[in-house]
Structure formats: structure tokens, C-alpha cells
Amino acid sequence: MCLSRMSAPGGWKRLVNASLPKPSCAWPPPALAGLWRGVQSHMTDTTSPMSQSAKRAAKGLLLIPSAFASVALFAPAQAADYTGEAAFNAGYTTGNTETTDLGLAAKLQRDGGRWRQSGEFTADFGETDGEETKNRLFVSGQLDREFSERLFAYGRASHEIDEFSGFDSRSFFGLGAGYQAIKRDATSWSLEGGPGLKIDEIEEEVVNGVVVTPAETEESVAVRAASNFSHAFNPNVTFSNDTSAIYADVSTQVSNTTALTSSLFGNLSARVSFDVRYDTDPPAGTESTDTATRVSLVYPLGGGN
């Protein structure tokens, strides 16, 4: 596969370039390179009509190829297979209040020998009476190296943009070790942990023309811990619970997703999930806890589907 170094936005540039191999062929194609340069010029041009929120969202979207790039770096093509899923949820109400909610999520994984690469993408958008109430983008990539049937090491990068969190963006880069505590046909439970770098871009808050909270970047050494559990009650019904925590002196982020997935017909499944995200020290004027309940349609990716 053709992979090359690319200029990533912001503080990602050095880390992304260091993680990618030296060019082995002409990449990216001219059309993609032109699109990349065009969007970058909008993000850096202060006279561009593109809104600041759109620019931040575009930056996050530009990081998707970087997050998923590890999926194709190490596993031999003939020995690897892609698997994953895509999920979509939507809601619309009218009457005294008109609301619109849209959500899209995708996961992709590739196993090849002792290497395993995975990527995740989530986007949520919501409006109430024409006013935006939800706008969040999350993307991550992880590379695992197995040393035994249960023990592995990993490298991970993630980036989040949430218009209503008080942050322009939040990023994490880390390394660590993992252990497959349970590895059965119906049940799986893995534990991960290790150090990393946490980068929070705090957005500027202006009230009546006065800067109340100045824009700043907080970089701190952090420790990440994660638990991923799944159990299949039968071939048609699966329960999962994923928890992660990133601890740092400035703040600690904890997230948990509990989901129940049931087959509908063919390759289509339905999922009910509940998300909780908690921050010990959120910016002034924002809540420490966010929750989301979703009903989604899920379709498998790869694996011959």
C-alpha cells in the first residue's frame, strides 16, 4: 500500500510524520493532495468566510486518514483481513419544540500475524428550534503488537472536537501494555494502561466584549487506563461495556459506553447504547458530565460482507 508523510494540522504534525514510513510511491494522488491544500488554505486564511467552528471540524476531518493509517502499515496484505461496523442514528421531533439529532460511528480493525490495527470515528450533531445544541467529532487510531496469546503492547492517538465542551480540541498520544483477561468464544475482556501526552486547546470566552477566559494550550503528562468487555448471550444478542480514563494533574476524563446489540435481519442489527463522559475540571460555564442515549442501526464492514 502507498503511504507517505503529510502535513498534519497543529501539534499533530511531528507525531503523525514520525509515525508514518518514508514515501515508497507517489502518494497522495494529485487530486487528494489538491483537496488537502485547498482545505488547509481555508483553515489558515483569516479572511476566509469559513466559520471558526467549521474550520475546527475540518481539522478533525483531516485527521481521519492519520488515525486510520495504522490499519495498513504493518500487517501483510495476504495475511490480514478488515473487520468492523458502521452505525447510524437519527431523531426528529416537531410541535412545541423542533429537534433534530444525527449520529454516525464507524470502527475498523485489521489483524495480521502479531500486529493488530484499529481505528474509530464518531460524529454527533443536534439542533433545537434551529439552534445548534450538539456538535462533536471524535477520531482515534491504535496499533497493537501481541507478545503472547494474552499479553500485548499498544500505541494510541485520539482527537476530539466538541463545540459545547469549552475546548477547541482535546488530543491524546500514548503507549502502554494490555492484557486479555478473558478470551473465549462468547466472552472477551481486555485491560490496557500506560503513559501519554494530553493536549487540551481551551477556547477563548468573551462576554460583552471582554475576554473572560483567554485561549490557551495545556500540555500535561497523563496516564490512560481502559477496559473493553463484550459477551454474546447467543448468536443474535451481544452486550458490551467500554470504559476509558485519562488522568492528568490538570483534569481527568472518564468515558463509558454500555450497549446491547441484537440482529434484525440479514446483516442489519439494532443497538441501544448509553454513553457517559465525565471531566473532573471542566471550563467555567460547562457541565462536568455529558450523557447520550442512542438507538442505532448497525451494519458490519469487511469480513466478506
Side-chain angles (χ1 to χ4, degrees):
M1 180 174 181
C2 300
L3 288 174
S4 177
R5 300 186 177 191
M6 306 174 78
S7 60
W12 287 65
K13 182 175 181 179
R14 292 188 300 274
L15 289 168
V16 172
N17 284 345
S19 68
L20 293 177
K22 293 182 179 180
S24 58
C25 55
W27 180 265
L32 181 57
L35 176 62
W36 179 277
R37 288 192 297 268
V39 175
Q40 279 190 315
S41 67
H42 275 291
M43 291 189 299
T44 56
D45 183 3
T46 57
T47 64
S48 169
M50 194 177 189
S51 67
Q52 291 301 314
S53 61
K55 289 180 182 180
R56 289 194 292 268
K59 287 183 179 181
L61 290 171
L62 287 174
L63 290 169
I64 295 174
S66 301
F68 281 88
S70 65
V71 177
L73 287 181
F74 297 97
Q78 67 274 17
D81 187 23
Y82 292 98
T83 58
E85 64 177 32
F88 174 76
N89 65 83
Y92 180 70
T93 64
T94 60
N96 293 322
T97 301
E98 184 175 301
T99 64
T100 302
D101 287 284
L102 296 172
L104 177 66
K107 293 182 179 180
L108 190 65
Q109 179 175 300
R110 188 184 190 194
D111 290 301
R114 292 189 175 275
W115 294 100
R116 179 173 63 249
Q117 303 85 38
S118 58
E120 180 179 352
F121 168 76
T122 303
D124 290 297
F125 174 79
E127 282 188 351
T128 299
D129 292 333
E131 182 177 346
E132 187 177 81
T133 55
K134 184 192 305 180
N135 191 337
R136 179 177 180 265
L137 175 72
F138 175 83
V139 60
S140 69
Q142 182 164 322
L143 172 66
D144 298 339
R145 173 61 163 85
E146 294 183 354
F147 293 102
S148 67
E149 184 178 353
R150 293 182 180 269
L151 186 65
F152 62 92
Y154 72 86
R156 179 180 177 84
S158 64
H159 185 69
E160 178 187 21
I161 299 172
D162 188 340
E163 293 294 320
F164 297 92
S165 67
F167 295 92
D168 276 339
S169 66
R170 311 190 83 172
S171 306
F172 176 80
F173 306 90
L175 302 171
Y179 182 73
Q180 195 75 35
I182 301 177
K183 192 175 184 180
R184 301 173 185 166
D185 290 340
T187 307
S188 173
W189 185 28
S190 65
L191 302 170
E192 301 175 358
L197 174 66
K198 182 172 177 282
I199 304 173
D200 292 341
E201 299 280 352
I202 300 176
E203 66 180 6
E204 181 181 76
E205 182 183 3
V206 180
V207 178
N208 297 326
V210 178
V211 177
V212 178
T213 304
E216 63 175 316
T217 299
E218 291 182 343
E219 297 184 0
S220 55
V221 175
V223 176
R224 174 182 177 270
S227 166
N228 300 292
F229 176 84
S230 68
H231 175 73
F233 294 105
N234 55 56
N236 297 317
V237 180
T238 302
F239 170 84
S240 63
N241 184 278
D242 298 327
T243 303
S244 69
I246 299 177
Y247 169 81
D249 286 339
V250 291
S251 67
T252 298
Q253 297 169 252
V254 181
S255 64
N256 176 269
T257 300
T258 301
L260 186 66
T261 306
S262 177
S263 298
L264 292 177
F265 52 84
N267 289 325
L268 195 64
S269 300
R271 173 175 296 159
V272 178
S273 62
F274 181 69
D275 296 348
V276 179
R277 298 194 308 276
Y278 174 75
D279 194 313
T280 59
D281 189 18
T286 60
E287 299 290 338
S288 60
T289 304
D290 285 318
T291 64
T293 302
R294 298 183 177 89
V295 178
S296 309
L297 291 177
V298 183
Y299 189 82
L301 302 175
N305 291 301

